[in-house]
mmCIF file of all heavy atoms in Angstrom:
data_model
loop_
_atom_site.group_PDB
_atom_site.id
_atom_site.type_symbol
_atom_site.label_atom_id
_atom_site.label_comp_id
_atom_site.label_asym_id
_atom_site.label_seq_id
_atom_site.Cartn_x
_atom_site.Cartn_y
_atom_site.Cartn_z
ATOM 1 N N ILE A 229 60.883 35.919 106.324
ATOM 2 C CA ILE A 229 61.598 37.174 106.544
ATOM 3 C C ILE A 229 62.374 37.534 105.285
ATOM 4 O O ILE A 229 63.157 36.726 104.782
ATOM 5 C CB ILE A 229 62.573 37.067 107.735
ATOM 6 C CG1 ILE A 229 61.808 36.676 109.009
ATOM 7 C CG2 ILE A 229 63.313 38.386 107.945
ATOM 8 C CD1 ILE A 229 62.725 36.429 110.193
ATOM 9 N N PHE A 230 62.154 38.737 104.786
ATOM 10 C CA PHE A 230 62.965 39.281 103.692
ATOM 11 C C PHE A 230 63.909 40.311 104.314
ATOM 12 O O PHE A 230 63.475 41.374 104.759
ATOM 13 C CB PHE A 230 62.087 39.940 102.630
ATOM 14 C CG PHE A 230 61.191 38.984 101.908
ATOM 15 C CD1 PHE A 230 59.862 38.824 102.304
ATOM 16 C CD2 PHE A 230 61.655 38.231 100.841
ATOM 17 C CE1 PHE A 230 59.025 37.940 101.639
ATOM 18 C CE2 PHE A 230 60.825 37.351 100.174
ATOM 19 C CZ PHE A 230 59.504 37.199 100.576
ATOM 20 N N MET A 231 65.184 39.981 104.358
ATOM 21 C CA MET A 231 66.189 40.862 104.948
ATOM 22 C C MET A 231 66.871 41.642 103.823
ATOM 23 O O MET A 231 67.591 41.077 103.007
ATOM 24 C CB MET A 231 67.225 40.041 105.721
ATOM 25 C CG MET A 231 68.192 40.882 106.540
ATOM 26 S SD MET A 231 67.431 41.742 107.920
ATOM 27 C CE MET A 231 66.952 40.346 108.956
ATOM 28 N N LEU A 232 66.599 42.949 103.769
ATOM 29 C CA LEU A 232 67.102 43.795 102.688
ATOM 30 C C LEU A 232 68.282 44.626 103.201
ATOM 31 O O LEU A 232 68.101 45.575 103.974
ATOM 32 C CB LEU A 232 65.992 44.705 102.167
ATOM 33 C CG LEU A 232 64.734 43.973 101.671
ATOM 34 C CD1 LEU A 232 63.694 44.964 101.183
ATOM 35 C CD2 LEU A 232 65.085 42.987 100.570
ATOM 36 N N ASP A 233 69.466 44.279 102.772
ATOM 37 C CA ASP A 233 70.688 44.907 103.272
ATOM 38 C C ASP A 233 70.691 46.413 103.003
ATOM 39 O O ASP A 233 70.442 46.859 101.883
ATOM 40 C CB ASP A 233 71.904 44.250 102.595
ATOM 41 C CG ASP A 233 73.182 44.479 103.362
ATOM 42 O OD1 ASP A 233 73.211 45.363 104.237
ATOM 43 O OD2 ASP A 233 74.163 43.769 103.100
ATOM 44 N N SER A 234 70.976 47.184 104.054
ATOM 45 C CA SER A 234 71.207 48.636 103.955
ATOM 46 C C SER A 234 69.966 49.443 103.603
ATOM 47 O O SER A 234 70.090 50.590 103.181
ATOM 48 C CB SER A 234 72.310 48.956 102.921
ATOM 49 O OG SER A 234 73.496 48.290 103.251
ATOM 50 N N LEU A 235 68.793 48.886 103.744
ATOM 51 C CA LEU A 235 67.577 49.628 103.388
ATOM 52 C C LEU A 235 67.165 50.518 104.551
ATOM 53 O O LEU A 235 66.720 50.038 105.590
ATOM 54 C CB LEU A 235 66.448 48.667 103.024
ATOM 55 C CG LEU A 235 65.157 49.338 102.532
ATOM 56 C CD1 LEU A 235 65.393 50.050 101.209
ATOM 57 C CD2 LEU A 235 64.031 48.326 102.411
ATOM 58 N N LEU A 320 68.680 31.664 103.576
ATOM 59 C CA LEU A 320 69.152 31.703 102.198
ATOM 60 C C LEU A 320 70.033 32.936 102.051
ATOM 61 O O LEU A 320 69.551 34.062 101.932
ATOM 62 C CB LEU A 320 67.970 31.735 101.230
ATOM 63 C CG LEU A 320 67.123 30.454 101.274
ATOM 64 C CD1 LEU A 320 65.752 30.672 100.664
ATOM 65 C CD2 LEU A 320 67.841 29.316 100.578
ATOM 66 N N ALA A 321 71.341 32.704 102.108
ATOM 67 C CA ALA A 321 72.301 33.795 102.090
ATOM 68 C C ALA A 321 73.536 33.360 101.327
ATOM 69 O O ALA A 321 73.890 32.184 101.298
ATOM 70 C CB ALA A 321 72.678 34.197 103.517
ATOM 71 N N SER A 322 74.215 34.323 100.719
ATOM 72 C CA SER A 322 75.389 34.019 99.906
ATOM 73 C C SER A 322 76.678 34.082 100.699
ATOM 74 O O SER A 322 77.718 33.627 100.233
ATOM 75 C CB SER A 322 75.468 34.982 98.714
ATOM 76 O OG SER A 322 75.499 36.329 99.168
ATOM 77 N N TYR A 327 77.171 34.782 109.230
ATOM 78 C CA TYR A 327 76.308 34.137 110.212
ATOM 79 C C TYR A 327 77.056 33.237 111.188
ATOM 80 O O TYR A 327 76.641 33.101 112.339
ATOM 81 C CB TYR A 327 75.245 33.313 109.479
ATOM 82 C CG TYR A 327 74.330 34.159 108.636
ATOM 83 C CD1 TYR A 327 74.665 34.510 107.332
ATOM 84 C CD2 TYR A 327 73.136 34.635 109.152
ATOM 85 C CE1 TYR A 327 73.829 35.300 106.566
ATOM 86 C CE2 TYR A 327 72.290 35.427 108.397
ATOM 87 C CZ TYR A 327 72.648 35.763 107.103
ATOM 88 O OH TYR A 327 71.822 36.557 106.350
ATOM 89 N N TRP A 399 73.366 30.662 96.838
ATOM 90 C CA TRP A 399 72.382 31.746 96.847
ATOM 91 C C TRP A 399 73.076 33.050 96.481
ATOM 92 O O TRP A 399 74.177 33.332 96.926
ATOM 93 C CB TRP A 399 71.748 31.866 98.235
ATOM 94 C CG TRP A 399 70.822 33.031 98.370
ATOM 95 C CD1 TRP A 399 71.119 34.259 98.876
ATOM 96 C CD2 TRP A 399 69.442 33.097 97.978
ATOM 97 N NE1 TRP A 399 70.015 35.078 98.846
ATOM 98 C CE2 TRP A 399 68.969 34.385 98.298
ATOM 99 C CE3 TRP A 399 68.561 32.181 97.409
ATOM 100 C CZ2 TRP A 399 67.655 34.786 98.049
ATOM 101 C CZ3 TRP A 399 67.256 32.574 97.172
ATOM 102 C CH2 TRP A 399 66.818 33.859 97.486
ATOM 103 N N ASN A 400 72.430 33.838 95.639
ATOM 104 C CA ASN A 400 72.992 35.114 95.228
ATOM 105 C C ASN A 400 72.105 36.230 95.744
ATOM 106 O O ASN A 400 70.929 36.290 95.411
ATOM 107 C CB ASN A 400 73.107 35.188 93.702
ATOM 108 C CG ASN A 400 74.092 36.262 93.266
ATOM 109 O OD1 ASN A 400 74.241 37.273 93.943
ATOM 110 N ND2 ASN A 400 74.751 36.041 92.147
ATOM 111 N N TRP A 401 72.694 37.109 96.527
ATOM 112 C CA TRP A 401 71.879 38.100 97.233
ATOM 113 C C TRP A 401 71.278 39.155 96.316
ATOM 114 O O TRP A 401 70.398 39.897 96.735
ATOM 115 C CB TRP A 401 72.683 38.750 98.350
ATOM 116 C CG TRP A 401 73.740 39.723 97.906
ATOM 117 C CD1 TRP A 401 74.552 39.633 96.827
ATOM 118 C CD2 TRP A 401 74.101 40.927 98.572
ATOM 119 N NE1 TRP A 401 75.406 40.691 96.762
ATOM 120 C CE2 TRP A 401 75.149 41.507 97.826
ATOM 121 C CE3 TRP A 401 73.659 41.574 99.726
ATOM 122 C CZ2 TRP A 401 75.756 42.705 98.205
ATOM 123 C CZ3 TRP A 401 74.270 42.765 100.090
ATOM 124 C CH2 TRP A 401 75.299 43.324 99.342
ATOM 125 N N ASP A 402 71.724 39.253 95.062
ATOM 126 C CA ASP A 402 71.106 40.254 94.189
ATOM 127 C C ASP A 402 69.678 39.877 93.806
ATOM 128 O O ASP A 402 68.923 40.712 93.300
ATOM 129 C CB ASP A 402 71.953 40.508 92.940
ATOM 130 C CG ASP A 402 72.091 39.289 92.039
ATOM 131 O OD1 ASP A 402 71.304 38.335 92.187
ATOM 132 O OD2 ASP A 402 72.997 39.282 91.198
ATOM 133 N N GLY A 403 69.298 38.617 94.033
ATOM 134 C CA GLY A 403 67.916 38.196 93.855
ATOM 135 C C GLY A 403 67.492 37.904 92.439
ATOM 136 O O GLY A 403 66.352 37.490 92.203
ATOM 137 N N ILE A 404 68.378 38.072 91.463
ATOM 138 C CA ILE A 404 67.982 37.896 90.063
ATOM 139 C C ILE A 404 67.621 36.442 89.778
ATOM 140 O O ILE A 404 66.593 36.150 89.163
ATOM 141 C CB ILE A 404 69.108 38.388 89.129
ATOM 142 C CG1 ILE A 404 69.303 39.889 89.297
ATOM 143 C CG2 ILE A 404 68.779 38.056 87.678
ATOM 144 C CD1 ILE A 404 70.481 40.445 88.544
ATOM 145 N N PHE A 406 66.703 34.240 91.947
ATOM 146 C CA PHE A 406 65.501 33.935 92.733
ATOM 147 C C PHE A 406 64.256 34.426 92.003
ATOM 148 O O PHE A 406 63.242 33.720 91.918
ATOM 149 C CB PHE A 406 65.635 34.599 94.105
ATOM 150 C CG PHE A 406 64.450 34.393 95.012
ATOM 151 C CD1 PHE A 406 63.914 33.133 95.215
ATOM 152 C CD2 PHE A 406 63.882 35.468 95.677
ATOM 153 C CE1 PHE A 406 62.824 32.940 96.060
ATOM 154 C CE2 PHE A 406 62.805 35.283 96.524
ATOM 155 C CZ PHE A 406 62.276 34.023 96.715
ATOM 156 N N TYR A 407 64.329 35.626 91.460
ATOM 157 C CA TYR A 407 63.198 36.181 90.711
ATOM 158 C C TYR A 407 62.908 35.351 89.467
ATOM 159 O O TYR A 407 61.742 35.093 89.120
ATOM 160 C CB TYR A 407 63.504 37.625 90.336
ATOM 161 C CG TYR A 407 62.355 38.356 89.669
ATOM 162 C CD1 TYR A 407 61.097 38.402 90.259
ATOM 163 C CD2 TYR A 407 62.552 39.012 88.451
ATOM 164 C CE1 TYR A 407 60.044 39.082 89.654
ATOM 165 C CE2 TYR A 407 61.515 39.698 87.846
ATOM 166 C CZ TYR A 407 60.263 39.732 88.447
ATOM 167 O OH TYR A 407 59.225 40.400 87.840
ATOM 168 N N LEU A 426 64.414 32.743 105.913
ATOM 169 C CA LEU A 426 64.965 34.092 105.836
ATOM 170 C C LEU A 426 65.669 34.242 104.496
ATOM 171 O O LEU A 426 66.594 33.488 104.185
ATOM 172 C CB LEU A 426 65.939 34.347 106.979
ATOM 173 C CG LEU A 426 66.504 35.774 107.064
ATOM 174 C CD1 LEU A 426 66.701 36.189 108.513
ATOM 175 C CD2 LEU A 426 67.834 35.929 106.306
ATOM 176 N N PHE A 427 65.203 35.197 103.688
ATOM 177 C CA PHE A 427 65.834 35.513 102.407
ATOM 178 C C PHE A 427 66.758 36.717 102.615
ATOM 179 O O PHE A 427 66.302 37.815 102.929
ATOM 180 C CB PHE A 427 64.783 35.861 101.349
ATOM 181 C CG PHE A 427 63.843 34.740 101.019
ATOM 182 C CD1 PHE A 427 62.569 34.690 101.582
ATOM 183 C CD2 PHE A 427 64.210 33.739 100.142
ATOM 184 C CE1 PHE A 427 61.690 33.665 101.269
ATOM 185 C CE2 PHE A 427 63.336 32.710 99.818
ATOM 186 C CZ PHE A 427 62.078 32.665 100.395
ATOM 187 N N ASP A 428 68.046 36.518 102.441
ATOM 188 C CA ASP A 428 69.026 37.597 102.564
ATOM 189 C C ASP A 428 69.201 38.225 101.181
ATOM 190 O O ASP A 428 69.806 37.627 100.282
ATOM 191 C CB ASP A 428 70.352 37.027 103.078
ATOM 192 C CG ASP A 428 71.348 38.118 103.433
ATOM 193 O OD1 ASP A 428 71.159 39.273 103.024
ATOM 194 O OD2 ASP A 428 72.336 37.808 104.135
ATOM 195 N N LEU A 429 68.679 39.446 101.015
ATOM 196 C CA LEU A 429 68.684 40.110 99.714
ATOM 197 C C LEU A 429 69.460 41.424 99.769
ATOM 198 O O LEU A 429 69.714 41.986 100.836
ATOM 199 C CB LEU A 429 67.253 40.362 99.241
ATOM 200 C CG LEU A 429 66.446 39.106 98.880
ATOM 201 C CD1 LEU A 429 64.966 39.431 98.754
ATOM 202 C CD2 LEU A 429 66.978 38.489 97.597
ATOM 203 N N LYS A 430 69.793 41.918 98.609
ATOM 204 C CA LYS A 430 70.713 43.041 98.481
ATOM 205 C C LYS A 430 70.156 44.355 99.007
ATOM 206 O O LYS A 430 70.900 45.196 99.515
ATOM 207 C CB LYS A 430 71.099 43.198 97.009
ATOM 208 C CG LYS A 430 72.279 44.101 96.763
ATOM 209 C CD LYS A 430 72.630 44.043 95.289
ATOM 210 C CE LYS A 430 73.892 44.824 94.986
ATOM 211 N NZ LYS A 430 74.247 44.748 93.558
ATOM 212 N N GLY A 431 68.871 44.584 98.882
ATOM 213 C CA GLY A 431 68.290 45.829 99.360
ATOM 214 C C GLY A 431 68.858 47.049 98.670
ATOM 215 O O GLY A 431 68.982 47.096 97.445
ATOM 216 N N ALA A 432 69.248 48.038 99.470
ATOM 217 C CA ALA A 432 69.778 49.282 98.914
ATOM 218 C C ALA A 432 71.300 49.301 98.907
ATOM 219 O O ALA A 432 71.910 50.355 98.769
ATOM 220 C CB ALA A 432 69.249 50.471 99.713
ATOM 221 N N HIS A 433 71.895 48.152 99.035
ATOM 222 C CA HIS A 433 73.357 48.055 99.107
ATOM 223 C C HIS A 433 73.976 48.262 97.725
ATOM 224 O O HIS A 433 73.485 47.752 96.727
ATOM 225 C CB HIS A 433 73.746 46.678 99.648
ATOM 226 C CG HIS A 433 75.140 46.603 100.175
ATOM 227 N ND1 HIS A 433 76.253 46.706 99.364
ATOM 228 C CD2 HIS A 433 75.618 46.434 101.435
ATOM 229 C CE1 HIS A 433 77.334 46.599 100.103
ATOM 230 N NE2 HIS A 433 76.979 46.436 101.365
ATOM 231 N N LEU A 438 70.684 46.464 89.964
ATOM 232 C CA LEU A 438 69.367 45.890 89.706
ATOM 233 C C LEU A 438 68.461 46.952 89.109
ATOM 234 O O LEU A 438 68.397 48.088 89.596
ATOM 235 C CB LEU A 438 68.760 45.351 91.003
ATOM 236 C CG LEU A 438 67.594 44.369 90.854
ATOM 237 C CD1 LEU A 438 68.078 43.075 90.209
ATOM 238 C CD2 LEU A 438 66.964 44.071 92.204
ATOM 239 N N GLN A 456 67.000 50.054 92.127
ATOM 240 C CA GLN A 456 67.326 48.780 92.764
ATOM 241 C C GLN A 456 66.312 48.449 93.864
ATOM 242 O O GLN A 456 65.873 47.301 93.982
ATOM 243 C CB GLN A 456 68.734 48.834 93.345
ATOM 244 C CG GLN A 456 69.158 47.532 94.019
ATOM 245 C CD GLN A 456 70.660 47.418 94.133
ATOM 246 O OE1 GLN A 456 71.353 47.295 93.135
ATOM 247 N NE2 GLN A 456 71.171 47.487 95.335
ATOM 248 N N GLY A 459 63.219 47.272 92.264
ATOM 249 C CA GLY A 459 63.372 45.903 91.786
ATOM 250 C C GLY A 459 63.291 44.892 92.912
ATOM 251 O O GLY A 459 62.717 43.805 92.750
ATOM 252 N N MET A 460 63.871 45.225 94.076
ATOM 253 C CA MET A 460 63.811 44.310 95.219
ATOM 254 C C MET A 460 62.374 44.100 95.677
ATOM 255 O O MET A 460 61.956 42.976 95.972
ATOM 256 C CB MET A 460 64.665 44.859 96.374
ATOM 257 C CG MET A 460 66.148 44.671 96.188
ATOM 258 S SD MET A 460 66.587 42.911 96.198
ATOM 259 C CE MET A 460 68.196 42.971 95.407
ATOM 260 N N PHE A 461 61.610 45.169 95.746
ATOM 261 C CA PHE A 461 60.213 45.019 96.160
ATOM 262 C C PHE A 461 59.379 44.335 95.076
ATOM 263 O O PHE A 461 58.360 43.703 95.368
ATOM 264 C CB PHE A 461 59.623 46.376 96.541
ATOM 265 C CG PHE A 461 59.880 46.740 97.968
ATOM 266 C CD1 PHE A 461 61.024 47.426 98.340
ATOM 267 C CD2 PHE A 461 58.991 46.364 98.966
ATOM 268 C CE1 PHE A 461 61.280 47.742 99.658
ATOM 269 C CE2 PHE A 461 59.229 46.682 100.295
ATOM 270 C CZ PHE A 461 60.385 47.370 100.650
ATOM 271 N N ILE A 463 60.541 41.772 93.429
ATOM 272 C CA ILE A 463 60.815 40.363 93.715
ATOM 273 C C ILE A 463 59.935 39.877 94.875
ATOM 274 O O ILE A 463 59.320 38.807 94.810
ATOM 275 C CB ILE A 463 62.309 40.170 94.053
ATOM 276 C CG1 ILE A 463 63.170 40.457 92.819
ATOM 277 C CG2 ILE A 463 62.576 38.748 94.552
ATOM 278 C CD1 ILE A 463 64.661 40.486 93.103
ATOM 279 N N ILE A 464 59.876 40.678 95.941
ATOM 280 C CA ILE A 464 59.051 40.301 97.093
ATOM 281 C C ILE A 464 57.581 40.236 96.695
ATOM 282 O O ILE A 464 56.851 39.315 97.091
ATOM 283 C CB ILE A 464 59.259 41.302 98.238
ATOM 284 C CG1 ILE A 464 60.706 41.268 98.705
ATOM 285 C CG2 ILE A 464 58.308 41.003 99.398
ATOM 286 C CD1 ILE A 464 61.051 42.357 99.712
ATOM 287 N N MET A 484 62.369 43.595 106.320
ATOM 288 C CA MET A 484 63.175 44.434 107.213
ATOM 289 C C MET A 484 64.583 44.618 106.665
ATOM 290 O O MET A 484 64.981 43.965 105.694
ATOM 291 C CB MET A 484 63.237 43.798 108.598
ATOM 292 C CG MET A 484 63.930 42.441 108.638
ATOM 293 S SD MET A 484 63.910 41.650 110.278
ATOM 294 C CE MET A 484 64.873 42.830 111.239
ATOM 295 N N ALA A 485 65.315 45.511 107.290
ATOM 296 C CA ALA A 485 66.720 45.740 106.942
ATOM 297 C C ALA A 485 67.585 45.471 108.160
ATOM 298 O O ALA A 485 67.145 45.655 109.299
ATOM 299 C CB ALA A 485 66.922 47.171 106.458
ATOM 300 N N ASP A 486 68.799 45.024 107.925
ATOM 301 C CA ASP A 486 69.714 44.817 109.035
ATOM 302 C C ASP A 486 70.238 46.136 109.581
ATOM 303 O O ASP A 486 70.505 46.277 110.773
ATOM 304 C CB ASP A 486 70.875 43.907 108.620
ATOM 305 C CG ASP A 486 71.550 44.371 107.339
ATOM 306 O OD1 ASP A 486 71.048 45.327 106.700
ATOM 307 O OD2 ASP A 486 72.573 43.774 106.954
#
Side-chain angles (χ1 to χ4, degrees):
I229 302 175
F230 295 97
M231 189 67 66
L232 303 180
D233 200 345
S234 303
L235 184 65
L320 295 162
S322 57
Y327 297 86
W399 175 264
N400 199 329
W401 73 322
D402 64 16
I404 295 174
F406 179 49
Y407 185 53
L426 184 145
F427 297 100
D428 189 344
L429 292 166
K430 194 174 185 179
H433 199 292
L438 197 66
Q456 181 159 293
M460 283 295 161
F461 274 89
I463 293 172
I464 297 172
M484 64 183 297
D486 51 354

